[in-house]
Amino acid sequence: MPPWLRRAAQVASGCCIGSAVTRGQLLQMGQLALPAAALCLGYMVCCVGMGLVGVTLVFPQIFNVVVTVLA
């Protein structure tokens, strides 16, 4: 599929979806802010936690350097 045709299809589908959204639906999206923030925070905690596990178990030399620098 040529890139210009793909872009045209995306624009057309976006217009169809956007035209169906009402003001009330936009206002209800505000209720998703807290769950979205919780998901992002949980993902960040998981990434940092797994990074720490990887550094302490797989690369203990790096962990010692990080602890020394931060201390």
Side-chain angles (χ1 to χ4, degrees):
M1 176 181 294
W4 64 269
L5 184 58
R6 179 182 302 220
R7 179 66 65 181
Q10 289 173 340
V11 168
S13 63
C15 288
C16 290
I17 292 170
S19 65
V21 175
T22 65
R23 182 183 180 108
Q25 289 171 331
L26 288 175
L27 293 174
Q28 286 179 343
M29 284 186 202
Q31 296 174 350
L32 295 175
L34 186 60
L39 283 172
C40 290
L41 181 64
Y43 185 71
M44 288 190 314
V45 167
C46 185
C47 287
V48 169
M50 290 306 295
L52 289 174
V53 167
V55 166
T56 55
L57 295 179
V58 179
F59 303 108
Q61 314 88 315
I62 296 173
F63 179 72
N64 291 334
V65 171
V66 171
V67 170
T68 305
V69 169
L70 293 178

